[in-house]
Amino acid sequence: MAKAIHSMIRVLEEARSVDFYRNAFGLDVADRLDFETFTLLYLSNAEAGFELELTVNKDRQEPYRLGDGYGHLAVSVADLDGEHDRLGALGLNPKKIVEFNRDGSLIARFFFIEDPDGYKIEVLQRTGRFQ
């Protein structure tokens, strides 16, 4: 059986991205592999074994175009309202909290935030299938 272990995104500035993911989601650099033309950074925290891999191409000067195929990453939190307030206080501009309902039942509460390169991250209240 396959086990998901990481997802990779390309970022323009290493320090800016590491700072964002540390402040926003408590992800720290678990490993850093430096090569001649690129660097790989693996970010993780104690909440899960899944990692976010940041690829920094050293010769890249212009922002990446995300295109229309990228969707989002998702994380779950115990206190959605508290995280929304905390991220707002850090100046990270979380979008409004949304409640997703079907047939009168709450399916999810969430908001989106964007990292410095424009990647969307969905922050979900930890409940139901979103643990």
Side-chain angles (χ1 to χ4, degrees), residues 6-35:
H6 74 254
S7 182
M8 184 278 285
I9 58 174
R10 288 180 176 84
V11 300
L12 191 58
E13 295 177 30
E14 178 179 334
R16 179 180 72 167
S17 294
V18 168
D19 221 29
F20 171 83
Y21 284 100
R22 179 179 293 122
N23 290 326
F25 304 113
L27 296 175
D28 287 309
V29 177
D31 203 359
R32 184 178 193 282
L33 305 174
D34 194 37
F35 298 92

